[in-house]
Each structure stands twice: as structure tokens, then as C-alpha cells.
Amino acid sequence: VEDTITVGDELSPAKMIFGCGGLVEADGSSNRQDGMAGFSRGNTAFHTQLAKAGVIDAHVFGFCSEGSGTDTAMLSLGRYDFGNDLAPLSYTRILGENDLAVRTMSWKLGDTTIAGSSNVVTVLDSGTTLVYLPSVMFQDFVTKLTAQVAANHSEVQLIADEDTQLRCFISETTVLTASVVREWFPKLTITYDPDIKLTLPAENYLYSHPVIPYMYCVGIRESNTTLLGNTILLGQQTLRNTFVEYDLENSRVGLVVA
């Protein structure tokens, strides 16, 4: 479909091509039709069309969603100056021509390096909720996380379901609130090429169980090797609290903890 699109009050209207999607009920009825605009690297991607039409000042867009307990998110189109509200961005190069992918140099839980996390291609995908790791990396992450938590807080128990890969923590004596989780669980440090370190709180790999109160689950899964190979798919779980700028004009990604 092609139509004239207006984004906010600051950008000029532009003719754009976009797709359509609908909500189909179980009885076959359809009561809603939605337009869909993607943020990939194709010619019909939302930002690409805006840049070609001259609506934004550069082929650049950025995205940031805040942490747990909030629905707030921010999208920037073109170059955006945050002034003193945000620390300077650190840049890593985009790999290949198809995905929004970068290179991960390491993952650390606390001071301990996760096995298999060196020199791994990482697809940044804010449209995916969870994070998917290669098998060796995933197994070592869960093992080290469980050991570090148990060493300092023996009252925290791990409940695991191997069929669904669901792994959740609950305390026998202390209520696991968001603040307790931040204090008790190790921080995650991700280093991107060449030496960009992002140190993230536990809510960047844990989420609150939607039904059981005060239970926190690991928002990371083991990837399907057939589909992803030895690639990290970094979804919104770990991208939260981070402003990511995709500078496609210069084939680079800027990152900073928000």
C-alpha cells in the first residue's frame, strides 16, 4: 500500500509504501486492520524511505526502551542531539549487508567471562522479546548465574522446566522485589568490538513472572542452531535501558546505557 504518512509535528509528510496486517478471531472474523512499517535494512524500511524522501536529515534512526515496569520507549529519526541528557555514544561497525548485526567480544556475569562469548556475530533485534544464545554460551550463562546467586543467597531457589527452557528464581525467605534483584543478582557486562563495554543490571536478563508474584525468570533461551548457527539474537530483554543508534550512512551502531 502507498499513502502519505505524517510522523509527529517536526517531520514533513511523505509518500511511503507499507504493508498491512489484521487481527483474525478464532471464529474467522476480522475486526481490525493495521499498517505495518519495518525497521530492517531493505529499501522499503520506514527509515530508508524517509531518508530517500529527504524528510530526515540522515539515514539514521535510534531506539530506546526503558527498564521493567514501564511501557515507555523512544524512537528517533535522523540525527538527534540529546545534549547533556545522554552520555556520548560509542560506535561499533555494522557487519554484512542484510542484518543489523555487530560483533560481540565477550559477556561477563560479575567478573566471570561466559564461555563461547568471544567474537560472536550479534543481531540487534528490538522486535524480538527475548535473547537467544548459542548452546555453549547459554549453558554456561545459566550455570554461572545459578552458582553466583547460590554462593551469596542460598535461600534463592532455581525452578527449571527443560521442555520450555523456562528457568525462574524465587526466594524461600525474602520477597524478590525489583530492588532486591538488582542487589542480589550479578550485573551483565557486554563488550562489543573494538572495546565498547556496557554494564547492565539484572533486569536486562531477568523479567518478572507474569502470574507468580516475586518470581523472576531468565529472559534468555538457547538458540536453534539450524536457524541461527553460532549467532546471538539480542532481543528487547537485553536491549532495554540502552539507547541504540543505527547510523546506516556510516555502517555503524552507536550504543550507550541510558
Side-chain angles (χ1 to χ4, degrees), residues 72 111 144 209:
T72 303
D111 297 323
K144 284 186 166 64
H209 193 285

mmCIF file with all atom_site columns, all heavy atoms in Angstrom, residues 72 111 144 209:
data_model
loop_
_atom_site.group_PDB
_atom_site.id
_atom_site.type_symbol
_atom_site.label_atom_id
_atom_site.label_alt_id
_atom_site.label_comp_id
_atom_site.label_asym_id
_atom_site.label_entity_id
_atom_site.label_seq_id
_atom_site.pdbx_PDB_ins_code
_atom_site.Cartn_x
_atom_site.Cartn_y
_atom_site.Cartn_z
_atom_site.occupancy
_atom_site.B_iso_or_equiv
_atom_site.pdbx_formal_charge
_atom_site.auth_seq_id
_atom_site.auth_comp_id
_atom_site.auth_asym_id
_atom_site.auth_atom_id
_atom_site.pdbx_PDB_model_num
ATOM 1  N N   . THR A 1 72  ? 7.281  2.745   28.485 1.00 0.00 ? 72  THR A N   1
ATOM 2  C CA  . THR A 1 72  ? 7.871  3.876   27.783 1.00 0.00 ? 72  THR A CA  1
ATOM 3  C C   . THR A 1 72  ? 8.953  3.420   26.812 1.00 0.00 ? 72  THR A C   1
ATOM 4  O O   . THR A 1 72  ? 9.752  2.550   27.121 1.00 0.00 ? 72  THR A O   1
ATOM 5  C CB  . THR A 1 72  ? 8.485  4.870   28.787 1.00 0.00 ? 72  THR A CB  1
ATOM 6  O OG1 . THR A 1 72  ? 7.483  5.292   29.687 1.00 0.00 ? 72  THR A OG1 1
ATOM 7  C CG2 . THR A 1 72  ? 9.050  6.073   28.064 1.00 0.00 ? 72  THR A CG2 1
ATOM 8  N N   . ASP A 1 111 ? 32.429 -10.705 37.440 1.00 0.00 ? 111 ASP A N   1
ATOM 9  C CA  . ASP A 1 111 ? 33.790 -10.687 36.894 1.00 0.00 ? 111 ASP A CA  1
ATOM 10 C C   . ASP A 1 111 ? 34.115 -11.947 36.095 1.00 0.00 ? 111 ASP A C   1
ATOM 11 O O   . ASP A 1 111 ? 35.258 -12.152 35.695 1.00 0.00 ? 111 ASP A O   1
ATOM 12 C CB  . ASP A 1 111 ? 34.807 -10.535 38.034 1.00 0.00 ? 111 ASP A CB  1
ATOM 13 C CG  . ASP A 1 111 ? 34.655 -9.212  38.764 1.00 0.00 ? 111 ASP A CG  1
ATOM 14 O OD1 . ASP A 1 111 ? 34.352 -8.205  38.102 1.00 0.00 ? 111 ASP A OD1 1
ATOM 15 O OD2 . ASP A 1 111 ? 34.819 -9.199  40.006 1.00 0.00 ? 111 ASP A OD2 1
ATOM 16 N N   . LYS A 1 144 ? 26.666 -20.402 35.480 1.00 0.00 ? 144 LYS A N   1
ATOM 17 C CA  . LYS A 1 144 ? 27.378 -19.380 36.260 1.00 0.00 ? 144 LYS A CA  1
ATOM 18 C C   . LYS A 1 144 ? 26.416 -18.488 37.035 1.00 0.00 ? 144 LYS A C   1
ATOM 19 O O   . LYS A 1 144 ? 26.689 -18.096 38.175 1.00 0.00 ? 144 LYS A O   1
ATOM 20 C CB  . LYS A 1 144 ? 28.265 -18.547 35.339 1.00 0.00 ? 144 LYS A CB  1
ATOM 21 C CG  . LYS A 1 144 ? 29.543 -19.267 34.900 1.00 0.00 ? 144 LYS A CG  1
ATOM 22 C CD  . LYS A 1 144 ? 30.451 -18.350 34.116 1.00 0.00 ? 144 LYS A CD  1
ATOM 23 C CE  . LYS A 1 144 ? 31.862 -18.942 33.964 1.00 0.00 ? 144 LYS A CE  1
ATOM 24 N NZ  . LYS A 1 144 ? 31.905 -20.170 33.192 1.00 0.00 ? 144 LYS A NZ  1
ATOM 25 N N   . HIS A 1 209 ? 7.885  -12.727 36.564 1.00 0.00 ? 209 HIS A N   1
ATOM 26 C CA  . HIS A 1 209 ? 6.921  -13.730 36.092 1.00 0.00 ? 209 HIS A CA  1
ATOM 27 C C   . HIS A 1 209 ? 5.536  -13.085 35.972 1.00 0.00 ? 209 HIS A C   1
ATOM 28 O O   . HIS A 1 209 ? 5.088  -12.382 36.891 1.00 0.00 ? 209 HIS A O   1
ATOM 29 C CB  . HIS A 1 209 ? 6.867  -14.913 37.055 1.00 0.00 ? 209 HIS A CB  1
ATOM 30 C CG  . HIS A 1 209 ? 6.165  -16.107 36.510 1.00 0.00 ? 209 HIS A CG  1
ATOM 31 N ND1 . HIS A 1 209 ? 4.793  -16.182 36.384 1.00 0.00 ? 209 HIS A ND1 1
ATOM 32 C CD2 . HIS A 1 209 ? 6.659  -17.286 36.024 1.00 0.00 ? 209 HIS A CD2 1
ATOM 33 C CE1 . HIS A 1 209 ? 4.457  -17.352 35.874 1.00 0.00 ? 209 HIS A CE1 1
ATOM 34 N NE2 . HIS A 1 209 ? 5.565  -18.045 35.644 1.00 0.00 ? 209 HIS A NE2 1
#
